[in-house]
Amino acid sequence: FSATALGQSKYVIPCNSALFVASMDTLRALVGTIEETNNNDGTIIFRLQDCIGIPRKQPYCQATQYYSFYVSAKNLKMDTKNLPIPRNGLAQSSYNYAKQKGVKAPYNAEFGDLIVWKKGNTTKGHIGRIVEVGKMGWVITIEGNTTNDTTKKEGIFYKKRNIKNPLNRILQVKGIVGFAIK
């Protein structure tokens, strides 16, 4: 199946260049964070959940991505009210926001893009940020609320994903959020 046959789309939204770079650095610094009891918990995990305003011990994949922009904007002394992704606990919110506010673009993965998965017709899903683009749809992402393939610990890790394939039998790719650097 091609991405077009599955209805996957990419939407691009504006992002300040300094914020884009800083958010990638902030996100990379979170890699290796491990949950305290494999139950969406721990000091850093709670900080991510608090930043986005979701209850502790809730899924935090979207919070991880939002936090990287939020902290970076604060460090750059920028207004945190105009970040390129919404302050929302749902992974699909970033895609929906980009679809509403952004511009449709070719379905190609680029460095810094967000890949969003969805669970059927529910609001549930998952999100990761692309840090490396390979061949045939393969990418390396940084994701929160995921499992380390080696240790089986839960936390924030690099993952190898394909933008054209489902994450598993339950989560299908919804689309990509790209950033127009300004």
Side-chain angles (χ1 to χ4, degrees), residues 90 92 96 117-125 170-171 174:
L90 300 173
Q92 292 186 48
N96 295 339
W117 293 270
K118 66 177 182 163
K119 180 180 180 183
N121 290 326
T122 72
T123 59
K124 296 179 180 177
I170 299 170
L171 292 170
K174 182 165 186 159

Side-chain angles (χ1 to χ4, degrees), residues 3 51 57 79 86 113 115 121 126-127 138 144-145:
C51 176
K57 297 197 173 188
D79 186 357
D113 287 354
I115 181 169
N121 290 326
H126 189 65
I127 190 167
W138 287 100
N145 205 166

Side-chain angles (χ1 to χ4, degrees), residues 147-166:
T147 306
N148 180 289
D149 294 330
T150 306
T151 66
K152 304 303 180 205
K153 297 278 187 182
E154 295 282 327
I156 302 170
F157 303 107
Y158 291 103
K159 300 293 281 187
K160 185 175 183 178
R161 306 290 195 193
N162 193 297
I163 66 164
K164 298 177 182 178
N165 295 321

Side-chain angles (χ1 to χ4, degrees), residues 124-135:
K124 296 179 180 177
H126 189 65
I127 190 167
R129 192 146 182 209
I130 297 171
V131 295
E132 185 179 322
V133 178
K135 295 179 182 181

Side-chain angles (χ1 to χ4, degrees), residues 12-23:
V12 176
I13 51 180
C15 183
N16 174 281
S17 61
L19 179 61
F20 179 85
V21 170
S23 68

